[in-house]
Amino acid sequence: MLSFQHLSSLCAVLFLLLGPVEADLDNTTSPTSVFRSRPDLHAPIISFDILRPELLAPGYIFLAPYRNTDPGPYIYDNDGQLVWSSAGTLGGSTAHNPHVCEYQGADHICFFQGHQHHGWARGHGIIMNKNYRVVRTIEAVGAATQMDMHEFRLIDGGKRALVTIYQPRQYDLGAFGVGPGLGWIHDSLFQEIDVETGELLFEWRALDHIAPSFSYTCIDCTDTSGDGLTRDTPWDFFHINSIDKNADGDYLISARHVGAVYKISGATGTVIWQLNGANPTFKNINLHFSSQHHALFFKENATHTVISLFDNASNTFNITNQESRGMLIGINHIDRTASKLHEWRAPEERGVLSGSQGNMQILDGRNVFIGWGDHAYFSEHLPSGEAVMYGKVAQRASDVMMYRCNKYVWKGEPLTAPSLWTYSRTGSGASDMVFYVSWNGATEVRSWNFYTADTSTGPWELIGTANKTGFETEYLLTGSLGWAYAEALDADRKPLKRGQSSIVKTFVPSDLIVSGCNDRGCDDVMPLREGEVFNKTVPEVGNRGDNYTQDLGVNTISYYPMLKYTVRGWSLSTLTIPAVLVLLIIGGFFFMLGRRRMARIGVVWHEKLVSIVSSFLGRVFGGSGRSDTEYRKLETTDST
């Protein structure tokens, strides 16, 4: 029989088996990027204290900072370069825990979106496909209030969802010193919901199983505990913050304010066992944690259970360890003991003490990924504990936070087109032309083709190719032309579907502002000095604006490059002439022979003619077609 001591000593072997008030934001504490092709985005700039690319697991980093300029989900690559900003798709809004989830047999992105309260939230779950389009939302059901932020995850191949709910209830708090009169308490609920039908499959309520007197968080003694006096400030005695489910149908939940992890029967809802807290089932050996988050099953059999969790070790007001850490815990059900098997700490001299939030994710390649909660940091570690990545989205002074962050392999294919901005200081050969191109969410772009023309209708000339460099690629052309577009290429240098930008007119600054410009662009207008005002004027437009569009040279019928389809290298325009000749010959025979004779011939030769034509079309048009660029209006109704 495998003993608990064996588990502790063979930790390395286990890993081999792993197949309310916003602070002032500025560009020092919370720096953001400036993209000329997407000036609407304010993506955080990630700074790395540690980055060893050769030791990192493959995949993309999924973040959702809040209290920043553009809150919401983001995706970054292993170099810290932006891949996708949800603000460019959904607009900036508070969201939590973006992660890859399986739904209807394909990878999707799941996350919570809603209104943030202090320590909890109200909202719903979002399921988004690879095109970054919302395909389904998940809401709490039954008699419960809205879904909470702490857990939203799909299970059973996306057929079911696990969600948390914070339900305010009137409650007799007289024994806790609140009264006379009814007080208010937050009941922690979780539900399992059928994703397609919305049917409630299971519901669990903390007040029906756990006495509030077991809480380590007293009324009105922390910033998130609540004073219990009103429906808007209920006492949060339990604070559920994660749910997991095993193959037997039982649940694992973490409750921060009681400092405990519970295994819940999926059949009856009763507590099977409790780890840590005021009424533990097991004796802790070399183990202590508090205010924890993100408890998950790792391995389990009849005699032993191994779980992972993030030990905050602090709720800001009370501290049980000098630093927070990711932790692997082994439980021996025979000896009724629990012990720490391994831990992962932040690579700071004194560690990081996260007073709230945080998570730990064991990656497929054995590495461990950790989000540091109220510190907007993340790290990746080897199984040994060594950090191979340590990134910071914002400095602590900014008060920017991240509830959870994760790492997953992902393939994004946005329905939007690439964004392009071109610039020339003079608009002539006296200065260069600069291209700035990006495609929000596209993971398959490896290089860009750049095309120019003298007019918006062409003819177009391919003037250069550049490898993709970060979110926005810059390309410099000697000389200048009036119009341009860009084309995204994959790893095989083939054009990507929807990979053509709109046709843009090269921006050339007027003589009135050119003094504030250089060869790469123009500076922002300087702030006015005290007492200074602009001499604002309204310029006149000649001919009452009748020729305004014509003078601009814009082709308002076709803003986007269109596709030229080919079959086995033959363009459809090339095949048009032979097709017309065939039709003319058939028409000539019809005219000479007359309708009746042609009808008799048609009856005799019908099947043979069908066979011949089918064979001919198969030889000429067979094989898969490909698309080259010419001009087309963007099609937004393509099948996804």
Side-chain angles (χ1 to χ4, degrees):
M1 179 179 294
L2 180 65
S3 69
F4 178 77
Q5 286 76 16
H6 289 144
L7 273 174
S8 182
S9 63
L10 296 177
C11 178
V13 176
L14 278 172
F15 272 91
L16 291 176
L17 298 175
L18 275 173
V21 177
E22 289 192 359
D24 291 334
L25 299 174
D26 57 51
N27 221 38
T28 301
T29 62
S30 181
T32 58
S33 298
V34 177
F35 303 116
R36 294 183 184 271
S37 59
R38 288 300 301 265
D40 55 314
L41 304 183
H42 302 84
I45 297 175
I46 295 177
S47 62
F48 286 105
D49 291 357
I50 298 173
L51 184 60
R52 300 180 63 185
E54 72 280 5
L55 297 176
L56 297 177
Y60 294 96
I61 301 163
F62 288 72
L63 312 170
Y66 64 104
R67 298 181 177 176
N68 57 317
T69 303
D70 270 343
Y74 289 85
I75 302 176
Y76 288 82
D77 64 19
N78 271 338
D79 295 320
Q81 297 293 329
L82 178 68
V83 174
W84 176 65
S85 165
S86 64
T89 304
L90 303 174
S93 60
T94 299
H96 296 294
N97 191 29
H99 60 281
V100 174
C101 54
E102 182 184 356
Y103 177 63
Q104 294 185 343
D107 283 345
H108 287 66
I109 299 176
C110 289
F111 57 91
F112 169 89
Q113 184 181 60
H115 179 67
Q116 185 68 46
H117 296 265
H118 199 51
W120 48 283
R122 295 271 189 260
H124 54 267
I126 296 286
I127 304 176
M128 180 179 283
N129 65 15
K130 67 178 181 180
N131 307 126
Y132 303 98
R133 291 298 188 263
V134 176
V135 296
R136 184 169 289 277
T137 61
I138 304 296
E139 294 80 25
V141 294
T145 184
Q146 302 101 317
M147 195 175 113
D148 166 63
M149 59 176 273
H150 284 93
E151 192 71 85
F152 164 56
R153 59 181 301 194
L154 301 186
I155 60 174
D156 192 21
K159 297 177 182 178
R160 303 180 179 196
L162 299 176
V163 305
T164 53
I165 300 157
Y166 279 43
Q167 180 81 57
R169 300 188 188 280
Q170 288 182 301
Y171 197 82
D172 185 347
L173 295 175
F176 298 89
V178 177
L182 278 177
W184 289 85
I185 196 168
H186 247 156
D187 195 2
S188 284
L189 285 67
F190 76 83
Q191 293 181 341
E192 182 174 334
I193 302 168
D194 186 292
V195 170
E196 299 303 322
T197 67
E199 179 186 357
L200 177 61
L201 304 175
F202 185 86
E203 180 173 289
W204 188 87
R205 305 180 183 186
L207 276 175
D208 293 339
H209 301 275
I210 310 298
S213 58
F214 286 127
S215 179
Y216 286 136
T217 303
C218 59
I219 296 174
D220 202 24
C221 61
T222 74
D223 60 336
T224 60
S225 59
D227 59 19
L229 300 179
T230 72
R231 61 180 180 175
D232 297 321
T233 59
W235 175 35
D236 184 4
F237 85 99
F238 195 74
H239 199 91
I240 187 172
N241 58 29
S242 71
I243 321 165
D244 197 9
K245 189 177 184 181
N246 65 11
D248 296 329
D250 298 322
Y251 303 92
L252 189 74
I253 65 172
S254 167
R256 169 179 168 89
H257 286 179
V258 295
V261 174
Y262 299 88
K263 183 177 182 180
I264 306 297
S265 168
T268 65
T270 57
V271 175
I272 298 174
W273 52 251
Q274 175 181 332
L275 174 66
N276 215 49
N279 190 27
T281 305
F282 313 105
K283 179 182 178 181
N284 288 354
I285 300 175
N286 187 31
L287 171 67
H288 61 87
F289 62 84
S290 68
S291 302
Q292 77 290 335
H293 283 80
H294 203 217
L296 298 173
F297 287 114
F298 178 60
K299 287 188 178 296
E300 191 176 32
N301 60 29
T303 60
H304 294 84
T305 299
V306 180
I307 70 168
S308 63
L309 60 76
F310 181 78
D311 173 26
N312 291 82
S314 169
N315 64 1
T316 303
F317 299 87
N318 302 287
I319 299 172
T320 60
N321 194 57
Q322 293 182 349
E323 55 186 303
S324 304
R325 60 255 174 105
M327 189 179 290
L328 196 69
I329 298 171
I331 299 171
N332 185 321
H333 297 289
I334 304 300
D335 296 341
R336 310 291 275 183
T337 57
S339 178
K340 179 184 68 178
L341 300 180
H342 202 68
E343 66 180 15
W344 293 264
R345 300 171 181 265
E348 302 267 8
E349 183 178 353
R350 297 185 179 180
V352 167
L353 190 62
S354 298
S356 68
Q357 307 161 91
N359 71 297
M360 169 180 161
Q361 178 190 10
I362 300 176
L363 304 175
D364 290 339
R366 299 187 304 143
N367 281 8
V368 171
F369 194 80
I370 296 178
W372 295 96
D374 62 5
H375 294 62
Y377 311 159
F378 59 87
S379 59
E380 185 173 334
H381 304 255
L382 300 178
S384 63
E386 179 185 0
V388 293
M389 172 191 283
Y390 188 40
K392 297 180 178 179
V393 175
Q395 298 300 315
R396 188 70 188 97
S398 69
D399 205 30
V400 174
M401 301 181 180
M402 297 188 298
Y403 172 57
R404 291 182 191 168
C405 51
N406 306 280
K407 190 172 188 181
Y408 288 93
V409 174
W410 173 248
K411 182 178 180 180
E413 299 177 351
L415 295 181
T416 56
S419 300
L420 175 68
W421 188 72
T422 58
Y423 166 85
S424 174
R425 185 171 57 82
T426 65
S428 66
S431 65
D432 295 331
M433 179 177 177
V434 191
F435 298 73
Y436 299 92
V437 63
S438 63
W439 195 3
N440 190 33
T443 60
E444 305 308 296
V445 181
R446 298 295 179 268
S447 58
W448 295 95
N449 281 340
F450 298 97
Y451 296 83
T452 58
D454 292 321
T455 70
S456 62
T457 57
W460 296 95
E461 179 183 1
L462 173 64
I463 51 83
T465 301
N467 291 331
K468 180 178 181 286
T469 56
F471 179 78
E472 182 175 81
T473 298
E474 179 180 341
Y475 179 75
L476 185 67
L477 172 67
T478 301
S480 178
L481 287 165
W483 298 85
Y485 75 87
E487 176 184 50
L489 307 177
D490 65 14
D492 296 323
R493 298 280 179 169
K494 294 181 179 179
L496 287 163
K497 186 178 182 180
R498 305 184 186 91
Q500 294 78 37
S501 74
S502 64
I503 298 168
V504 300
K505 186 175 185 178
T506 303
F507 176 78
V508 180
S510 69
D511 294 339
L512 298 174
I513 68 167
V514 72
S515 61
C517 304
N518 54 41
D519 287 339
R520 295 183 64 249
C522 298
D523 298 327
D524 290 336
V525 177
M526 294 295 292
L528 294 175
R529 294 186 293 270
E530 185 176 355
E532 185 181 10
V533 297
F534 285 121
N535 181 20
K536 300 170 185 170
T537 60
V538 179
E540 293 186 4
V541 178
N543 198 27
R544 303 180 64 85
D546 286 346
N547 297 323
Y548 180 73
T549 301
Q550 181 179 345
D551 292 341
L552 288 177
V554 179
N555 180 7
T556 59
I557 302 301
S558 181
Y559 285 113
Y560 296 87
M562 63 187 296
L563 296 177
K564 179 179 70 177
Y565 290 98
T566 64
V567 180
R568 290 191 174 182
W570 293 81
S571 68
L572 293 186
S573 59
T574 304
L575 294 174
T576 300
I577 295 176
V580 171
L581 290 176
V582 171
L583 291 175
L584 289 175
I585 292 172
I586 293 174
F589 274 111
F590 184 85
F591 177 78
M592 289 186 294
L593 297 176
R595 285 184 297 176
R596 292 185 179 180
R597 185 173 296 178
M598 284 297 297
R600 289 195 296 270
I601 293 174
V603 172
V604 174
W605 288 92
H606 175 266
E607 292 186 3
K608 289 187 178 182
L609 183 60
V610 168
S611 177
I612 293 171
V613 171
S614 297
S615 176
F616 172 77
L617 291 177
R619 289 194 304 272
V620 176
F621 295 99
S624 58
R626 68 176 182 88
S627 61
D628 296 323
T629 52
E630 231 174 43
Y631 322 106
R632 71 170 176 85
K633 195 166 185 178
L634 182 65
E635 299 176 13
T636 58
T637 57
D638 291 348
S639 173
T640 60

mmCIF file of all heavy atoms in Angstrom, residues 497-500 503 557-565 630-636 638:
data_model
loop_
_atom_site.group_PDB
_atom_site.id
_atom_site.type_symbol
_atom_site.label_atom_id
_atom_site.label_comp_id
_atom_site.label_asym_id
_atom_site.label_seq_id
_atom_site.Cartn_x
_atom_site.Cartn_y
_atom_site.Cartn_z
ATOM 1 N N LYS A 497 -6.986 33.794 -44.486
ATOM 2 C CA LYS A 497 -8.361 34.197 -44.749
ATOM 3 C C LYS A 497 -8.680 35.470 -43.976
ATOM 4 O O LYS A 497 -8.355 35.586 -42.804
ATOM 5 C CB LYS A 497 -9.318 33.075 -44.358
ATOM 6 C CG LYS A 497 -10.768 33.334 -44.719
ATOM 7 C CD LYS A 497 -11.642 32.146 -44.333
ATOM 8 C CE LYS A 497 -13.086 32.362 -44.738
ATOM 9 N NZ LYS A 497 -13.946 31.211 -44.357
ATOM 10 N N ARG A 498 -9.326 36.412 -44.623
ATOM 11 C CA ARG A 498 -9.649 37.727 -44.064
ATOM 12 C C ARG A 498 -8.403 38.506 -43.668
ATOM 13 O O ARG A 498 -8.452 39.404 -42.834
ATOM 14 C CB ARG A 498 -10.581 37.613 -42.852
ATOM 15 C CG ARG A 498 -11.863 36.844 -43.092
ATOM 16 C CD ARG A 498 -12.759 36.880 -41.861
ATOM 17 N NE ARG A 498 -13.920 36.028 -42.046
ATOM 18 C CZ ARG A 498 -13.978 34.745 -41.708
ATOM 19 N NH1 ARG A 498 -12.923 34.185 -41.153
ATOM 20 N NH2 ARG A 498 -15.054 34.043 -41.912
ATOM 21 N N GLY A 499 -7.263 38.148 -44.264
ATOM 22 C CA GLY A 499 -6.005 38.741 -43.839
ATOM 23 C C GLY A 499 -5.603 39.995 -44.581
ATOM 24 O O GLY A 499 -4.445 40.405 -44.497
ATOM 25 N N GLN A 500 -6.524 40.616 -45.336
ATOM 26 C CA GLN A 500 -6.195 41.860 -46.032
ATOM 27 C C GLN A 500 -6.762 43.047 -45.256
ATOM 28 O O GLN A 500 -7.930 43.039 -44.843
ATOM 29 C CB GLN A 500 -6.757 41.882 -47.460
ATOM 30 C CG GLN A 500 -6.140 40.853 -48.396
ATOM 31 C CD GLN A 500 -6.714 39.476 -48.165
ATOM 32 O OE1 GLN A 500 -7.904 39.316 -47.882
ATOM 33 N NE2 GLN A 500 -5.885 38.462 -48.263
ATOM 34 N N ILE A 503 -8.065 49.388 -47.578
ATOM 35 C CA ILE A 503 -7.225 50.258 -48.408
ATOM 36 C C ILE A 503 -7.179 51.625 -47.733
ATOM 37 O O ILE A 503 -8.225 52.226 -47.454
ATOM 38 C CB ILE A 503 -7.803 50.372 -49.825
ATOM 39 C CG1 ILE A 503 -7.811 48.990 -50.498
ATOM 40 C CG2 ILE A 503 -7.019 51.372 -50.654
ATOM 41 C CD1 ILE A 503 -8.631 48.943 -51.777
ATOM 42 N N ILE A 557 -17.014 52.501 -52.697
ATOM 43 C CA ILE A 557 -17.710 51.259 -53.053
ATOM 44 C C ILE A 557 -16.941 50.048 -52.534
ATOM 45 O O ILE A 557 -17.518 49.040 -52.155
ATOM 46 C CB ILE A 557 -17.897 51.157 -54.586
ATOM 47 C CG1 ILE A 557 -18.686 52.365 -55.104
ATOM 48 C CG2 ILE A 557 -18.609 49.867 -54.954
ATOM 49 C CD1 ILE A 557 -20.067 52.495 -54.481
ATOM 50 N N SER A 558 -15.626 50.152 -52.510
ATOM 51 C CA SER A 558 -14.802 49.014 -52.103
ATOM 52 C C SER A 558 -13.673 49.503 -51.212
ATOM 53 O O SER A 558 -12.637 49.940 -51.689
ATOM 54 C CB SER A 558 -14.241 48.299 -53.342
ATOM 55 O OG SER A 558 -13.470 47.187 -52.963
ATOM 56 N N TYR A 559 -13.898 49.430 -49.899
ATOM 57 C CA TYR A 559 -12.867 49.857 -48.958
ATOM 58 C C TYR A 559 -11.797 48.787 -48.746
ATOM 59 O O TYR A 559 -10.729 49.080 -48.225
ATOM 60 C CB TYR A 559 -13.502 50.168 -47.596
ATOM 61 C CG TYR A 559 -14.270 51.474 -47.561
ATOM 62 C CD1 TYR A 559 -15.651 51.480 -47.391
ATOM 63 C CD2 TYR A 559 -13.618 52.694 -47.683
ATOM 64 C CE1 TYR A 559 -16.355 52.664 -47.346
ATOM 65 C CE2 TYR A 559 -14.307 53.886 -47.638
ATOM 66 C CZ TYR A 559 -15.686 53.869 -47.466
ATOM 67 O OH TYR A 559 -16.368 55.050 -47.423
ATOM 68 N N TYR A 560 -12.106 47.554 -49.122
ATOM 69 C CA TYR A 560 -11.226 46.436 -48.809
ATOM 70 C C TYR A 560 -10.746 45.749 -50.072
ATOM 71 O O TYR A 560 -11.457 45.706 -51.084
ATOM 72 C CB TYR A 560 -11.950 45.410 -47.928
ATOM 73 C CG TYR A 560 -12.328 45.962 -46.576
ATOM 74 C CD1 TYR A 560 -13.529 46.633 -46.398
ATOM 75 C CD2 TYR A 560 -11.480 45.824 -45.490
ATOM 76 C CE1 TYR A 560 -13.879 47.156 -45.168
ATOM 77 C CE2 TYR A 560 -11.811 46.340 -44.256
ATOM 78 C CZ TYR A 560 -13.019 47.002 -44.094
ATOM 79 O OH TYR A 560 -13.356 47.508 -42.875
ATOM 80 N N PRO A 561 -9.541 45.176 -50.041
ATOM 81 C CA PRO A 561 -9.096 44.359 -51.172
ATOM 82 C C PRO A 561 -10.061 43.200 -51.387
ATOM 83 O O PRO A 561 -10.547 42.606 -50.430
ATOM 84 C CB PRO A 561 -7.723 43.844 -50.719
ATOM 85 C CG PRO A 561 -7.285 44.787 -49.660
ATOM 86 C CD PRO A 561 -8.530 45.259 -48.987
ATOM 87 N N MET A 562 -10.340 42.910 -52.645
ATOM 88 C CA MET A 562 -11.223 41.788 -52.940
ATOM 89 C C MET A 562 -10.381 40.578 -53.320
ATOM 90 O O MET A 562 -9.189 40.680 -53.573
ATOM 91 C CB MET A 562 -12.191 42.136 -54.067
ATOM 92 C CG MET A 562 -11.543 42.443 -55.408
ATOM 93 S SD MET A 562 -12.718 43.036 -56.635
ATOM 94 C CE MET A 562 -13.757 41.599 -56.798
ATOM 95 N N LEU A 563 -11.014 39.423 -53.318
ATOM 96 C CA LEU A 563 -10.302 38.185 -53.607
ATOM 97 C C LEU A 563 -10.418 37.822 -55.076
ATOM 98 O O LEU A 563 -11.478 37.939 -55.676
ATOM 99 C CB LEU A 563 -10.854 37.048 -52.749
ATOM 100 C CG LEU A 563 -10.657 37.205 -51.247
ATOM 101 C CD1 LEU A 563 -11.325 36.035 -50.542
ATOM 102 C CD2 LEU A 563 -9.196 37.262 -50.895
ATOM 103 N N LYS A 564 -9.294 37.356 -55.626
ATOM 104 C CA LYS A 564 -9.308 36.798 -56.979
ATOM 105 C C LYS A 564 -9.160 35.291 -56.841
ATOM 106 O O LYS A 564 -8.124 34.789 -56.411
ATOM 107 C CB LYS A 564 -8.161 37.351 -57.814
ATOM 108 C CG LYS A 564 -8.104 36.779 -59.228
ATOM 109 C CD LYS A 564 -6.961 37.390 -60.025
ATOM 110 C CE LYS A 564 -5.632 36.930 -59.520
ATOM 111 N NZ LYS A 564 -4.513 37.455 -60.337
ATOM 112 N N TYR A 565 -10.205 34.538 -57.161
ATOM 113 C CA TYR A 565 -10.177 33.094 -56.965
ATOM 114 C C TYR A 565 -9.485 32.416 -58.151
ATOM 115 O O TYR A 565 -9.641 32.825 -59.302
ATOM 116 C CB TYR A 565 -11.595 32.552 -56.808
ATOM 117 C CG TYR A 565 -12.215 32.959 -55.516
ATOM 118 C CD1 TYR A 565 -13.074 34.055 -55.454
ATOM 119 C CD2 TYR A 565 -11.913 32.268 -54.347
ATOM 120 C CE1 TYR A 565 -13.630 34.441 -54.256
ATOM 121 C CE2 TYR A 565 -12.465 32.648 -53.142
ATOM 122 C CZ TYR A 565 -13.334 33.729 -53.106
ATOM 123 O OH TYR A 565 -13.876 34.111 -51.916
ATOM 124 N N GLU A 630 -6.865 40.776 -54.723
ATOM 125 C CA GLU A 630 -7.062 41.882 -55.622
ATOM 126 C C GLU A 630 -7.855 42.885 -54.829
ATOM 127 O O GLU A 630 -7.323 43.399 -53.862
ATOM 128 C CB GLU A 630 -7.749 41.445 -56.905
ATOM 129 C CG GLU A 630 -6.984 41.934 -58.123
ATOM 130 C CD GLU A 630 -7.538 41.407 -59.419
ATOM 131 O OE1 GLU A 630 -8.767 41.396 -59.569
ATOM 132 O OE2 GLU A 630 -6.755 41.023 -60.260
ATOM 133 N N TYR A 631 -9.156 43.055 -55.139
ATOM 134 C CA TYR A 631 -9.946 43.978 -54.357
ATOM 135 C C TYR A 631 -11.305 43.375 -54.099
ATOM 136 O O TYR A 631 -11.916 42.813 -54.977
ATOM 137 C CB TYR A 631 -10.151 45.314 -55.096
ATOM 138 C CG TYR A 631 -8.956 45.769 -55.856
ATOM 139 C CD1 TYR A 631 -8.910 45.701 -57.240
ATOM 140 C CD2 TYR A 631 -7.842 46.222 -55.167
ATOM 141 C CE1 TYR A 631 -7.791 46.103 -57.930
ATOM 142 C CE2 TYR A 631 -6.724 46.625 -55.852
ATOM 143 C CZ TYR A 631 -6.699 46.565 -57.234
ATOM 144 O OH TYR A 631 -5.590 46.953 -57.901
ATOM 145 N N ARG A 632 -11.768 43.502 -52.881
ATOM 146 C CA ARG A 632 -13.128 43.079 -52.591
ATOM 147 C C ARG A 632 -13.626 43.863 -51.394
ATOM 148 O O ARG A 632 -12.852 44.377 -50.604
ATOM 149 C CB ARG A 632 -13.213 41.589 -52.268
ATOM 150 C CG ARG A 632 -12.612 41.184 -50.940
ATOM 151 C CD ARG A 632 -12.969 39.751 -50.611
ATOM 152 N NE ARG A 632 -12.331 39.301 -49.394
ATOM 153 C CZ ARG A 632 -12.799 39.496 -48.169
ATOM 154 N NH1 ARG A 632 -13.927 40.153 -47.983
ATOM 155 N NH2 ARG A 632 -12.155 39.056 -47.097
ATOM 156 N N LYS A 633 -14.921 43.931 -51.280
ATOM 157 C CA LYS A 633 -15.512 44.507 -50.089
ATOM 158 C C LYS A 633 -15.522 43.441 -49.008
ATOM 159 O O LYS A 633 -15.800 42.292 -49.291
ATOM 160 C CB LYS A 633 -16.942 44.977 -50.367
ATOM 161 C CG LYS A 633 -17.490 45.897 -49.288
ATOM 162 C CD LYS A 633 -18.734 46.593 -49.777
ATOM 163 C CE LYS A 633 -19.218 47.608 -48.734
ATOM 164 N NZ LYS A 633 -20.406 48.328 -49.201
ATOM 165 N N LEU A 634 -15.160 43.815 -47.769
ATOM 166 C CA LEU A 634 -15.027 42.830 -46.698
ATOM 167 C C LEU A 634 -16.336 42.098 -46.488
ATOM 168 O O LEU A 634 -17.381 42.702 -46.347
ATOM 169 C CB LEU A 634 -14.606 43.515 -45.402
ATOM 170 C CG LEU A 634 -14.395 42.585 -44.218
ATOM 171 C CD1 LEU A 634 -13.223 41.649 -44.480
ATOM 172 C CD2 LEU A 634 -14.146 43.385 -42.957
ATOM 173 N N GLU A 635 -16.248 40.748 -46.433
ATOM 174 C CA GLU A 635 -17.426 39.927 -46.201
ATOM 175 C C GLU A 635 -17.457 39.542 -44.749
ATOM 176 O O GLU A 635 -16.600 38.824 -44.264
ATOM 177 C CB GLU A 635 -17.382 38.679 -47.083
ATOM 178 C CG GLU A 635 -17.374 39.013 -48.582
ATOM 179 C CD GLU A 635 -17.232 37.760 -49.419
ATOM 180 O OE1 GLU A 635 -17.384 36.668 -48.863
ATOM 181 O OE2 GLU A 635 -16.962 37.874 -50.620
ATOM 182 N N THR A 636 -18.459 40.013 -44.042
ATOM 183 C CA THR A 636 -18.569 39.705 -42.612
ATOM 184 C C THR A 636 -19.537 38.566 -42.356
ATOM 185 O O THR A 636 -19.802 38.227 -41.224
ATOM 186 C CB THR A 636 -19.048 40.934 -41.845
ATOM 187 O OG1 THR A 636 -20.302 41.351 -42.380
ATOM 188 C CG2 THR A 636 -18.036 42.062 -41.964
ATOM 189 N N ASP A 638 -19.065 35.492 -43.619
ATOM 190 C CA ASP A 638 -18.434 34.204 -43.887
ATOM 191 C C ASP A 638 -18.752 33.228 -42.784
ATOM 192 O O ASP A 638 -18.915 33.594 -41.639
ATOM 193 C CB ASP A 638 -16.909 34.372 -43.979
ATOM 194 C CG ASP A 638 -16.507 35.141 -45.227
ATOM 195 O OD1 ASP A 638 -17.382 35.318 -46.084
ATOM 196 O OD2 ASP A 638 -15.339 35.546 -45.332
#
